């Protein structure tokens, strides 16, 4: 999916730049290109992220951050 407005890319880049450790980003697009979404799409995204983190955390227990910059969904 394309980051139409570049906000997600900007936030991810800032996190990577300001973090001294090895950072892995799991980008998940929840809103459409017009910024529309639903509580269901947000819930499904969080469920997906949690399943990925659980799988990854088995070998990397330091995983501990989920950042969301969605308001008024």
């Amino acid at each position: 999916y394309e980051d139409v407005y570049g906000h997600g890319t900007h936030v991810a880049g800032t996190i990577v730049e300001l973090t001294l450790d090895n950072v892995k980003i799991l980008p998940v697009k929840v809103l459409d290109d017009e910024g529309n979404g639903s509580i269901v799409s947000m819930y499904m995204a969080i469920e997906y992220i949690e399943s990925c983190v659980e799988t990854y955390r088995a070998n990397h227990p330091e995983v501990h951050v989920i950042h969301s910059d969605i308001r008024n969904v």
Side-chain angles (χ1 to χ4, degrees), residues 34-53:
E34 286 77 43
N36 300 313
S38 68
I39 296 298
V40 172
S41 63
M42 185 66 176
Y43 177 80
M44 290 173 62
I46 292 170
E47 289 274 305
Y48 172 73
I49 293 165
E50 286 177 344
S51 71
C52 291
V53 169

Side-chain angles (χ1 to χ4, degrees), residues 10-25:
H10 173 78
V11 170
T14 300
I15 291 168
V16 169
E17 184 177 323
L18 297 176
T19 304
L20 299 176
D21 296 328
N22 184 20
V23 175
K24 299 204 183 313
I25 302 290

